Amino acid sequence: MFNYLIIGSGFAGSVIAERIANILNRKVLVIEKRNHIGGNCYDYKDENNILVHKYGPHLFHTDSKDVFDYLSNFTEWHIYQHKVLAFIDGKKVPIPFNLNTLYEVFPKSLAEKLESKLTTKFQYNSKVPILDLLKEEDTDLNFLANYVYDKLFKNYTAKQWGLKPEDIDPQVTARVPICISRDNRYFTDKYQAIPKEGYTKIFERMLNHPNIKIMLNTDFKEIIDIDYEKKKIFFLGQEFKGKLIFTGMIDEFFNFNYGYLPYRSLDLKFETIDQEYYQEAPVINYPNDYDFTRITEFKYIHPTKSDRTTILKEYPKTYQPNIDIPYYPVFTKENQELYNMYKEDAEKINDLILIGRLADYKYYDMDDAIKRALEVFEERVE
Ligand code: UDP
């Protein structure tokens, strides 16, 4: 009856399901472990009538017109440019660290000197990862690099990953570079916006199609068996002749055969505050203070009139298999090698397609996951 089985209804699974249903006009069953669709992008209106992101803040940003146009089929947008402050030595200063931040943390004469050094050395509007800035030999630039490393990256990264910045893939800290500009925005992508009615509505519209059936509250292992030796897939006891698209953890798919892939998890603590606004910005990072990494105030992201406000504190922690939610793959060389072993096995099963943050073991942003799903649909599904 079904031509395709899709495990997981986050962006990777939902985009492919939508394409199969609309473009190929074939039948898809989406199997979802949770009691809702949308994966970690799921949002809902809480008791304060504020739209909150159940699994932490999701801010859509992309340079890809294709991705933006594609998503625009399922939502209207409200224009939103994300801003983040970091609490450093008792002050809340703009990050990514930029030329404006210099003047917030240093006396004017020192800030001027550092600005001049930075703009002489680097092109205006360029972005310099902290691990690159640390290699600068000039005494002033080296002082600045160490300051930013110590105050912004070292302790935040220790909380977030349990690692030093230099022990994790450089792409991770490069997500928040030092910006040689006066731009205080967190992202500089061409398209930055928030879906007017939230992310969950996007998923509802993507999956609302007669060719798509959704099975919630179902672990794939309850209805799918894999014969790893014979490389065959069984669905409800019968050999399945269609394609299986798996968006969960690649190590779980292979029964943790080579060992557990490390992930980072979070404890997310929502609080209602009995005042109209709680903080000065949508997100404030606390690199050095407290055990949480950041506080998000959702009212800024989805403007709402309410006497109360909802905030979210994020407490990172080690992921315990079968207990915690795997939010982030831990990007180290060793873990990548373990992932590659699983990937090789996956490639041997013809009708299996792995995709998404967990199955590809990649730190995808939402737009990366959508882009990859659209590519995989064209390359391997169609
Ligand atoms: N980071 C940091 N201090 C900050 C913000 C970010 O050290 O104030 C580092 C940290 O290692 C973090 C990474 O940069 O995990 C990426 O940050 P981003 O805000 O992109 O993380 P996400 O929103 O994906 O959790």
Side-chain angles (χ1 to χ4, degrees):
M1 169 178 187
F2 295 108
N3 312 103
Y4 298 87
L5 301 176
I6 299 185
I7 317 295
S9 62
F11 267 126
S14 296
V15 166
I16 294 198
E18 180 279 321
R19 294 282 85 182
I20 293 169
N22 278 308
I23 307 289
L24 304 185
N25 195 19
R26 310 291 299 276
K27 299 220 178 290
V28 193
L29 175 65
V30 177
I31 301 153
E32 169 57 60
K33 183 159 70 173
R34 291 176 174 161
N35 63 0
H36 62 73
I37 55 171
N40 287 353
C41 303
Y42 178 79
D43 53 15
Y44 64 96
K45 279 209 168 156
D46 73 357
E47 65 275 17
N48 303 318
N49 202 34
I50 295 169
L51 197 57
V52 300
H53 301 171
K54 182 171 165 115
Y55 303 96
H58 282 72
L59 292 315
F60 184 77
H61 58 101
T62 189
D63 272 324
S64 162
K65 180 170 162 51
D66 287 348
V67 169
F68 189 70
D69 286 349
Y70 172 74
L71 268 196
S72 303
N73 291 318
F74 311 99
T75 188
E76 288 181 30
W77 300 97
H78 91 78
I79 296 297
Y80 174 83
Q81 303 273 332
H82 192 47
K83 296 259 172 74
V84 178
L85 300 176
F87 184 70
I88 294 177
D89 291 344
K91 276 191 108 178
K92 289 166 185 158
V93 302
I95 59 162
F97 199 99
N98 64 61
L99 300 177
N100 292 326
T101 320
L102 283 178
Y103 288 84
E104 300 267 347
V105 297
F106 298 125
K108 190 160 172 264
S109 57
L110 178 54
E112 279 171 354
K113 183 165 150 197
L114 293 169
E115 174 171 11
S116 156
K117 287 262 169 128
L118 283 171
T119 50
T120 307
K121 174 80 204 193
F122 302 103
Q123 263 200 347
Y124 194 78
N125 240 352
S126 62
K127 295 176 179 181
V128 188
I130 183 61
L131 296 177
D132 290 350
L133 193 63
L134 276 171
K135 292 180 196 144
E136 288 301 318
E137 281 168 12
D138 175 273
T139 326
D140 295 314
L141 289 181
N142 193 263
F143 157 79
L144 175 66
N146 278 298
Y147 178 90
V148 176
Y149 179 89
D150 286 341
K151 300 287 182 184
L152 199 61
F153 286 93
K154 191 174 70 182
N155 297 328
Y156 189 104
T157 304
K159 274 196 245 182
Q160 175 71 10
W161 299 101
L163 292 170
K164 292 195 183 122
E166 54 274 28
D167 293 335
I168 196 151
D169 190 289
Q171 288 173 53
V172 173
T173 44
R175 289 167 61 90
V176 189
I178 285 85
C179 296
I180 314 301
S181 73
R182 293 199 172 263
D183 190 341
N184 284 347
R185 294 173 306 162
Y186 204 61
F187 310 113
T188 50
D189 305 56
K190 180 163 177 181
Y191 303 97
Q192 303 187 39
I194 292 290
K196 253 193 185 149
E197 298 159 277
Y199 293 100
T200 304
K201 277 275 180 296
I202 294 185
F203 291 96
E204 284 171 7
R205 290 178 191 134
M206 276 184 176
L207 298 177
N208 180 15
H209 191 287
N211 284 342
I212 303 177
K213 297 282 174 275
I214 306 169
M215 208 167 177
L216 295 178
N217 300 308
T218 309
D219 192 310
F220 75 95
K221 293 186 265 353
E222 293 174 66
I223 51 173
I224 290 173
D225 287 303
I226 319 287
D227 185 329
Y228 298 99
E229 294 285 302
K230 296 193 180 126
K231 323 239 175 298
K232 285 186 175 165
I233 297 160
F234 294 85
F235 172 53
L236 294 172
Q238 305 265 336
E239 190 176 343
F240 180 65
K241 300 286 191 187
K243 277 195 180 7
L244 174 65
I245 293 140
F246 182 80
T247 73
M249 294 185 294
I250 188 169
D251 52 342
E252 186 184 14
F253 186 84
F254 288 102
N255 279 327
F256 309 104
N257 195 19
Y258 301 121
Y260 292 104
L261 272 168
Y263 298 90
R264 210 56 189 158
S265 192
L266 297 167
D267 272 337
L268 298 176
K269 297 204 172 135
F270 288 89
E271 288 175 33
T272 290
I273 309 286
D274 204 4
Q275 58 195 54
E276 201 181 353
Y277 281 94
Y278 175 75
Q279 59 189 25
E280 308 81 327
V283 171
I284 300 187
N285 286 6
Y286 291 84
N288 310 306
D289 304 87
Y290 311 107
D291 295 332
F292 49 81
T293 46
R294 59 186 174 191
I295 302 182
T296 300
E297 185 167 8
F298 286 99
K299 222 181 213 186
Y300 282 105
I301 299 170
H302 295 284
T304 315
K305 273 214 172 349
S306 161
D307 295 339
R308 293 172 160 193
T309 190
T310 308
I311 62 163
L312 171 65
K313 293 178 180 155
E314 294 174 51
Y315 297 83
K317 61 176 183 183
T318 307
Y319 162 80
Q320 293 172 271
N322 305 317
I323 298 172
D324 296 316
I325 297 174
Y327 284 97
Y328 300 90
V330 183
F331 235 41
T332 63
K333 222 174 148 208
E334 194 189 343
N335 298 346
Q336 198 56 38
E337 281 164 13
L338 180 54
Y339 160 75
N340 286 338
M341 289 167 70
Y342 284 116
K343 187 167 172 248
E344 271 180 32
D345 282 2
E347 282 164 358
K348 291 180 194 145
I349 305 179
N350 255 341
D351 289 321
L352 172 69
I353 297 175
L354 293 187
I355 172 169
R357 193 186 256 221
L358 297 173
D360 286 338
Y361 201 63
K362 289 221 170 71
Y363 196 161
Y364 285 147
D365 283 330
M366 288 184 282
D367 64 327
D368 299 322
I370 295 162
K371 199 165 183 213
R372 187 75 198 119
L374 293 171
E375 281 166 11
V376 166
F377 172 74
E378 288 200 357
E379 287 164 13
R380 297 202 46 203
V381 182
E382 219 170 350

